[in-house]
Amino acid sequence: MASKSSGDSGIEGSHISRVRNIGVAAHIDAGKTTTTERILFYTGRTHKIGEVDDGTTTTDFDEQEQERGITIFSAAVTCPWRDHQINLIDTPGHVDFTAEVERSLRVLDGAIIVFDAKEGVEAQSETVWRQARKYRVPAICFINKMDKIGADFEMSVASIQKRLEAHPVPVQLPIGAESTFSGVIDLIRMKALRFGGNQGTQVTEEEIPAALIEPARQMRHHLEEKVAETDDALMQKYLDESPLTEEEIKRALRKATISGSLQPVFCGSALKNTGVQPLLDGVLAFLPSPLDRPPVEGVRSLKDATRITRAPRTSEPLSALVFKIVAEKPLDLFYVRVYSGVLKSGMRVFNANTESKENISRMFRMFAKRREQIDEAPAGEIVACVGLKDALTGNTLCDAKDPALLEKIEFPTPVISVSVEPKNTKDKDALLETLGKLARQDPTFKHHFNAETGQTIISGMGELHLEVLTYKLEHDFGVPVNVGKPLVAYREAISHAAEAEGRFIRQTGGRGQYAVVRLRVEPIPFEKGKEQFEFYDAIRGGAIRPEFIAAVERGVRDALPMGVLAGYEILNVRATLLDGQEHEVDSSELAFENAGRIAFEEAVKAAGPVMLEPVMKLQVSVPDDYFGMVSGDLSARRGIIEDTESRGQYRVIHAKVPLAEMFQYATKLRTLTQGRSSWSMEPYTYEPMPLNLQQELLRKHGYID
């Protein structure tokens, strides 16, 4: 249904206050999609619960998702709950598709982080949590699978506190665990909740079982203490030993959740239809509406760095962010979060990144793959539209008369590559065109043509990521390809500081070219999520003009992807422009770009260049009996075990291992443990390669004799 609110009236504010833009995120197999299916069923948006194992879920509608039983692409749905509108995005849990989580959390106001009650915090849980913290997204926790063998509520809460350095506070207690799990205790209302009827639709309220009254009282006391610590008035009441009321706890806990100082913890079993409705109530009670979030910040334009803010009101100028593109025929589908103003069908908008105007021809509210056409979307909404031509993920759509450029979305760099070539030579142009479409759709997918080998190289976040993309090439776009063996995406760096001069002096019959620059390069620490290059101007006395300084920086940036050892991108380097010389007639920006590139390359060669390899953070859960064999195998793979912890009869290994050593690890681990283990890994950092392996790599690719 189209939204018709306008102006800045109380009606508009009331509407926005009843909107929740949330995501469901977790480690793979924690039960995100199953939880989402129950949410859709209980809110009345579906009349039958889909199951992941059957390939019948609403949000996993892609053919590959149904075949593999995992979420690959984030899916948006809208559903009602108690006079509120919940815009929900189900995100992938596999590390290869972390970009889907990244871009979703960038535009959401809150998140449900789902944990497996047997495993607690897992590797991808840490990534999801870090992404939520990065964008200051408030979160509530759902300890799922309380019916699973080995389920441990207290361990899971403790792991959230220890591994995520979070502040979890249970608002529920499970009634039983594993096969005896039968409901939850609401610690705010001090009532037991049971779930029966048709697929858990009937929630009945009972008195707390006698055996659990004392544990419930202790946890209620803990809840009051944690909430009181965030509110001076409640702390005084707590110290006076006056009980806190339900409303006082809810109000203070909502404020603490939104500020990020506490995270309410719920529990249940989505598969067994237990605990989902109270979780939905928790979304309304504790997660923010767009009005509860700070106004979005940005700058005036690419050339004007004046800071501006946009509040979530329709009376403000339009500002919206494109956060996802789906390549479709005949027109691409663009997912957009509206931060201020009103986005209307048929509207002409200004793209602040390309500084061009584009059209919104039609607009939809999405329900997974189903679309409901709407006329307009006010501030706070998440919608999809068609008609845009040049917009990319992270672009800002705004009012040309009062523009705003919002902060772009940062994505991780690819860590693995393969070569692809069309099976039919006639598909050569079609392959290039299709790769361009996939790159628009997926910011962590890169492709380039290697002129030396004559190969087209595609790069992504992991083996599964590239498998999915090559499948799309063949089945969605009709371009069958042959795929080469996986290649690690190495990088280059420097060992110490060095200086060099770059001279670009050309004298021809007419006007010549003249530029001289002196640069210093030095290593900087690797910081995840930040650009690994810095440029500083240390010139004094105006030796060269400002436009030539900018040209030097462009030249240096052009040299970064080329490397000096083996053609890999240079990371972790700061370049400082120390001095320069110009000629009043012959100097040009082009000359200084060339001189900057030459100076940088020479300085890097003098700074002890080294090869960097991607290192992964690995988590392996193995039975105690196999711990020695698994840890020995990791050592043989140059892995470093950083921590181990016991969970029942299992040991959880936390290690870091070079990606180059991890191909086909799943098969080896299955053999070592007779299939009784689980593992996951995520990109962690880049580290210098051992010198002997670096020499071997350079020799293998013909860079040294």
Side-chain angles (χ1 to χ4, degrees):
M1 188 177 71
S3 300
K4 297 295 182 186
S5 57
S6 61
D8 211 14
S9 65
I11 294 174
E12 177 207 16
S14 173
H15 166 75
I16 298 177
S17 70
R18 293 197 301 273
V19 171
R20 298 289 184 274
N21 294 313
I22 66 166
V24 183
H27 183 88
I28 191 169
D29 286 339
K32 297 175 307 306
T33 301
T34 303
T35 302
T36 301
E37 275 302 311
R38 270 57 183 180
I39 288 173
L40 298 179
F41 179 71
Y42 295 132
T43 57
R45 286 311 306 262
T46 58
H47 302 292
K48 180 184 177 185
I49 295 177
E51 300 296 351
V52 173
D53 291 344
D54 299 336
T56 56
T57 59
T58 303
T59 52
D60 285 355
F61 55 83
D62 184 85
E63 185 180 331
Q64 289 192 83
E65 293 179 311
Q66 293 170 356
E67 280 184 13
R68 297 174 187 269
I70 61 170
T71 302
I72 295 173
F73 309 105
S74 57
V77 292
T78 299
C79 50
W81 185 250
R82 303 197 194 286
D83 296 325
H84 285 67
Q85 175 185 314
I86 298 176
N87 297 323
L88 184 149
I89 296 180
D90 176 30
T91 64
H94 197 287
V95 65
D96 283 20
F97 310 106
T98 190
E100 292 286 326
V101 186
E102 185 86 23
R103 59 172 153 207
S104 299
L105 287 173
R106 169 67 175 81
V107 298
L108 293 171
D109 299 320
I112 300 171
I113 311 295
V114 182
F115 300 89
D116 183 319
K118 177 178 178 285
E119 306 296 341
V121 171
E122 299 174 86
Q124 186 66 0
S125 313
E126 295 183 32
T127 303
V128 168
W129 197 267
R130 187 170 60 246
Q131 289 168 316
R133 296 294 92 193
K134 175 180 173 182
Y135 295 116
R136 297 182 178 86
V137 176
I140 61 178
C141 305
F142 182 54
I143 310 295
N144 190 29
K145 301 191 177 184
M146 279 305 306
D147 60 313
K148 186 177 178 181
I149 294 173
D152 189 331
F153 180 74
E154 289 183 13
M155 177 279 293
S156 296
V157 174
S159 72
I160 294 170
Q161 186 170 356
K162 177 187 174 186
R163 296 276 304 282
L164 304 180
E165 297 180 354
H167 305 282
V169 53
V171 294
Q172 291 180 344
L173 274 183
I175 299 174
E178 302 180 341
S179 61
T180 64
F181 177 64
S182 59
V184 300
I185 295 171
D186 183 335
L187 294 173
I188 297 177
R189 298 173 57 234
M190 289 302 281
K191 293 288 183 182
L193 303 178
R194 308 277 188 178
F195 302 82
N198 177 30
Q199 297 180 300
T201 51
Q202 291 180 7
V203 183
T204 55
E205 197 176 281
E206 303 174 358
E207 294 305 313
I208 298 171
L212 294 175
I213 288 177
E214 191 52 38
R217 282 178 180 159
Q218 290 176 7
M219 289 306 296
R220 165 63 183 245
H221 183 75
H222 175 73
L223 172 61
E224 291 189 10
E225 179 184 11
K226 288 296 180 185
V227 167
E229 287 174 358
T230 68
D231 186 289
D232 291 342
L234 293 187
M235 177 53 79
Q236 189 56 54
K237 192 172 179 181
Y238 176 79
L239 293 174
D240 292 341
E241 297 187 357
S242 300
L244 306 187
T245 67
E246 289 179 26
E247 283 309 309
E248 285 173 332
I249 291 174
K250 280 186 176 180
R251 187 171 62 250
L253 186 53
R254 175 180 179 79
K255 185 178 176 184
T257 305
I258 292 172
S259 70
S261 53
L262 290 177
Q263 291 83 36
V265 181
F266 295 78
C267 61
S269 169
L271 187 65
K272 300 296 184 184
N273 309 315
T274 302
V276 176
Q277 296 95 321
L279 179 66
L280 279 166
D281 291 338
V283 167
L284 307 190
F286 304 122
L287 291 180
S289 74
L291 292 173
D292 297 313
R293 299 280 280 156
V296 66
E297 295 184 358
V299 295
R300 179 62 64 190
S301 69
L302 290 169
K303 300 183 183 71
D304 183 351
T306 305
R307 301 295 298 177
I308 58 171
T309 60
R310 290 282 187 261
R313 293 195 291 265
T314 56
S315 56
E316 292 253 328
L318 173 69
S319 66
L321 190 77
V322 177
F323 69 94
K324 176 171 176 159
I325 303 170
V326 179
E328 291 189 344
K329 295 179 181 178
L331 296 170
D332 290 350
L333 190 67
F334 296 80
Y335 284 78
V336 176
R337 162 72 192 256
V338 184
Y339 283 100
S340 62
V342 182
L343 189 67
K344 297 181 179 180
S345 188
M347 191 179 201
R348 196 158 168 78
V349 295
F350 183 68
N351 185 326
N353 297 81
T354 61
E355 297 187 332
S356 61
K357 292 188 176 180
E358 302 212 49
N359 296 316
I360 304 288
S361 56
R362 284 180 296 155
M363 202 156 51
F364 309 96
R365 180 162 289 131
M366 297 302 294
F367 187 69
K369 64 180 176 181
R370 200 166 76 234
R371 307 174 185 182
E372 300 168 359
Q373 189 164 341
I374 58 175
D375 298 327
E376 62 179 49
E381 289 283 4
I382 291 176
V383 294
C385 56
V386 295
L388 300 171
K389 297 290 185 190
D390 301 318
L392 295 173
T393 299
N395 282 186
T396 302
L397 308 178
C398 58
D399 185 338
K401 296 177 183 174
D402 198 348
L405 179 63
L406 304 181
E407 185 182 350
K408 64 180 182 180
I409 309 173
E410 297 288 346
F411 293 103
T413 56
V415 295
I416 187 172
S417 304
V418 295
S419 62
V420 294
E421 59 180 30
K423 289 181 178 178
N424 304 312
T425 52
K426 64 180 179 63
D427 286 336
K428 204 168 186 179
D429 291 340
L431 174 63
L432 195 62
E433 182 185 344
T434 305
L435 291 177
K437 288 180 180 178
L438 289 174
R440 275 172 58 79
Q441 182 174 326
D442 184 348
T444 58
F445 169 68
K446 307 290 181 191
H447 66 97
H448 71 276
F449 182 73
N450 187 322
E452 288 184 11
T453 64
Q455 292 178 311
T456 298
I457 306 296
I458 62 172
S459 305
M461 299 306 298
E463 290 178 276
L464 180 59
H465 186 201
L466 295 182
E467 274 182 38
V468 167
L469 289 169
T470 51
Y471 182 95
K472 285 179 75 70
L473 275 173
E474 191 157 338
H475 292 82
D476 294 4
F477 295 99
V479 185
V481 291
N482 293 316
V483 182
K485 290 183 178 179
L487 303 168
V488 175
Y490 294 100
R491 297 288 185 267
E492 298 180 20
I494 56 175
S495 306
H496 53 79
E499 294 182 15
E501 185 177 83
R503 303 172 70 86
F504 190 78
I505 301 173
R506 302 285 187 275
Q507 198 60 52
T508 55
R511 181 178 171 180
Q513 297 283 357
Y514 186 95
V516 178
V517 301
R518 186 158 192 83
L519 281 177
R520 181 175 70 241
V521 296
E522 53 196 312
I524 57 175
F526 179 85
E527 286 189 59
K528 198 166 187 177
K530 286 193 175 182
E531 186 180 16
Q532 305 307 310
F533 170 72
E534 296 174 2
F535 182 86
Y536 288 100
D537 166 25
I539 281 188
R540 298 289 176 264
I544 59 174
R545 280 171 265 176
E547 59 266 35
F548 293 159
I549 293 171
V552 171
E553 181 177 356
R554 286 197 300 274
V556 172
R557 286 186 179 276
D558 285 346
L560 283 170
M562 310 306 292
V564 297
L565 288 173
Y568 291 105
E569 184 180 356
I570 300 169
L571 293 185
N572 310 342
V573 64
R574 176 188 295 127
T576 304
L577 178 58
L578 301 173
D579 199 4
Q581 295 173 32
E582 63 173 82
H583 187 279
E584 60 183 16
V585 176
D586 291 344
S587 288
S588 66
E589 290 188 28
L590 179 61
F592 273 95
E593 278 188 33
N594 284 314
R597 184 168 57 251
I598 293 166
F600 180 73
E601 288 173 352
E602 292 304 315
V604 168
K605 287 175 184 175
V610 294
M611 296 290 294
L612 300 179
E613 61 180 344
V615 174
M616 311 300 282
K617 182 182 283 188
L618 177 72
Q619 180 175 306
V620 191
S621 177
V622 299
D624 283 331
D625 296 348
Y626 301 103
F627 175 77
M629 283 187 286
V630 172
S631 57
D633 178 65
L634 286 176
S635 296
R637 294 172 185 270
R638 297 191 285 130
I640 296 174
I641 295 176
E642 297 186 313
D643 189 21
T644 62
E645 56 182 307
S646 294
R647 292 183 187 168
Q649 297 183 2
Y650 277 73
R651 295 276 285 281
V652 180
I653 301 170
H654 303 282
K656 60 178 189 177
V657 192
L659 174 63
E661 307 288 348
M662 293 303 291
F663 295 126
Q664 304 302 316
Y665 182 63
T667 304
K668 182 62 183 280
L669 185 65
R670 198 160 46 239
T671 303
L672 286 175
T673 64
Q674 297 179 11
R676 294 176 58 201
S677 57
S678 61
W679 69 287
S680 62
M681 68 179 184
E682 61 165 327
Y684 180 49
T685 188
Y686 277 90
E687 291 184 356
M689 290 181 74
L691 190 57
N692 63 318
L693 294 180
Q694 174 178 308
Q695 298 292 89
E696 188 181 312
L697 179 74
L698 295 177
R699 197 173 290 112
K700 179 182 175 183
H701 292 288
Y703 293 105
I704 60 174
D705 294 328

